[in-house]
Amino acid sequence: MGDQETPAADRAWMYQQSSGALSELTFDPAESGASAKGISDSGVIAGEEISAQSGLQAGFWTVTGGAMLLSGQFAGSEWAVAANDNGAVLGDYGASGSPGSAALLWSAPGYAQTTLPGLRCDHCDRLMISANAINASGTAVGQSQSSVYDNGTLVSGGLFAVEWQAGTVTSLGSLQDSGTSAAYGINSGGDIVGSSRVGQASGAPSHAFLYRQGAMLDLGVLQGDANSSADSINDSGQIVGVSSDAAGAQRAFLYQNGQMLDLNALIDPASPLTGRVGLQEAVGISANGWIAVNGTDSQDPGWTRAFLLIPSR
């Protein structure tokens, strides 16, 4: 699943490898557009409707053809980003002013909306909280602003990767105590991946991380690069994401067996795409190792394309 840009608004789509069909996902024929953000193992696709009249409204589709819009207190400015197989849909709210942004959860069967708590944030008029992924057991991950004062003195603060379990939020910290991190993926075992700045200076680079059993591991970058971010992890511990050089040129990576590998170097030499495609960011990896990647095709320059990588083994 993913999005296609049009002059009016994004259009959501679903690809089924078994049939090769690319189908548009809609909630209402009268909508301006729609966007698909995440898919569960059972085929629940989270996203939002885009309407010129009502703004953004969170919702989900099923691969069997169902669709449902979700309601909440932030009507017109909320969207869904992920879903799990137990009927939970995760989302976000974002707008100017107060509160700024919030993480949201809709739970089956009634899909009542809950606002997930952020970290302690003293004297924060505008909060920055976002959710990105949820696993089968309902543990969600994202990012939250934090600031803790003692008698007017700042004790600690930053924008940290967090996890939510049973309504409780916990900071995952950051690499090198940089004070800036975000979590983007979680597997069924509770392993979490994301990105963290690796120095306290504002211009310090950011590296992909794996958070496991209370410890955050720096995954590094591809050779010659300066920054990286991990987007997804499967239950086998395979991690995918993006690595970029100082000029911003991106390469998709696969991290496994303690090594970060350039996915461009792993394309089958016999593939007709060899030499044509530039794989820029791997955004998802399934339980069987299939990888969804954004990239470019030299035969169709100027556009970002979606690719599906299927292991040959």
Side-chain angles (χ1 to χ4, degrees):
M1 36 61 60
D3 298 340
Q4 177 180 327
E5 292 184 13
T6 72
D10 287 349
R11 295 167 61 191
W13 54 262
M14 172 184 66
Y15 174 77
Q16 292 179 301
Q17 197 274 337
S18 58
S19 64
L22 185 69
S23 306
E24 184 171 4
L25 298 170
T26 62
F27 292 105
D28 185 333
E31 67 192 14
S32 300
S35 179
K37 296 289 199 307
I39 185 170
S40 71
D41 290 338
S42 62
V44 177
I45 302 170
E48 76 266 5
E49 179 184 65
I50 305 168
S51 169
Q53 290 75 36
S54 57
L56 302 180
Q57 184 172 356
F60 65 87
W61 302 270
T62 64
V63 294
T64 55
M68 179 177 179
L69 288 170
L70 300 169
S71 59
Q73 63 175 315
F74 302 111
S77 300
E78 54 190 34
W79 55 93
V81 298
N84 71 11
D85 294 339
N86 294 316
V89 179
L90 189 69
D92 290 317
Y93 155 80
S96 59
S98 180
S101 61
L104 309 171
L105 181 67
W106 291 267
S107 301
Y111 292 101
Q113 184 190 80
T114 301
T115 301
L116 298 177
L119 298 173
R120 176 177 167 182
C121 204
D122 299 334
H123 314 302
C124 296
D125 294 329
R126 187 171 188 272
L127 300 177
M128 289 180 284
I129 306 169
S130 61
N132 296 311
I134 188 169
N135 68 7
S137 65
T139 300
V141 297
Q143 186 180 37
S144 174
Q145 180 183 359
S146 173
S147 66
V148 178
Y149 283 80
D150 183 14
N151 293 323
T153 300
L154 180 66
V155 176
S156 63
L159 196 58
F160 294 104
V162 296
E163 68 173 351
W164 288 276
Q165 286 186 309
T168 299
V169 62
T170 303
S171 173
L172 306 184
S174 56
L175 295 172
Q176 300 183 24
D177 293 324
S178 66
T180 304
S181 60
Y184 299 122
I186 182 171
N187 65 14
S188 63
D191 297 331
I192 299 167
V193 295
S195 182
S196 173
R197 205 165 62 187
V198 291
Q200 295 185 356
S202 60
S206 295
H207 286 183
F209 71 74
L210 167 64
Y211 185 89
R212 173 180 289 164
Q213 298 179 344
M216 185 177 285
L217 172 67
D218 187 342
L219 302 185
V221 298
L222 291 174
Q223 185 174 4
D225 284 349
N227 296 279
S228 63
S229 179
D231 292 345
S232 179
I233 180 171
N234 66 12
D235 289 346
S236 299
Q238 294 174 300
I239 300 166
V240 296
V242 58
S243 180
S244 59
D245 62 20
Q250 297 181 331
R251 292 182 288 168
F253 75 75
L254 166 66
Y255 185 95
Q256 62 181 6
N257 301 322
Q259 288 186 301
M260 184 178 286
L261 307 171
D262 183 350
L263 279 172
N264 293 278
L266 301 182
I267 299 176
D268 187 340
S271 169
L273 299 180
T274 300
R276 287 174 43 190
V277 169
L279 302 177
Q280 296 177 320
E281 181 172 9
V283 296
I285 183 166
S286 67
N288 58 359
W290 293 17
I291 303 173
V293 189
N294 292 329
T296 59
D297 186 337
S298 63
Q299 294 190 9
D300 188 20
W303 300 97
T304 298
R305 296 300 184 193
F307 298 91
L308 176 62
L309 305 186
I310 302 175
S312 58
R313 63 180 184 275

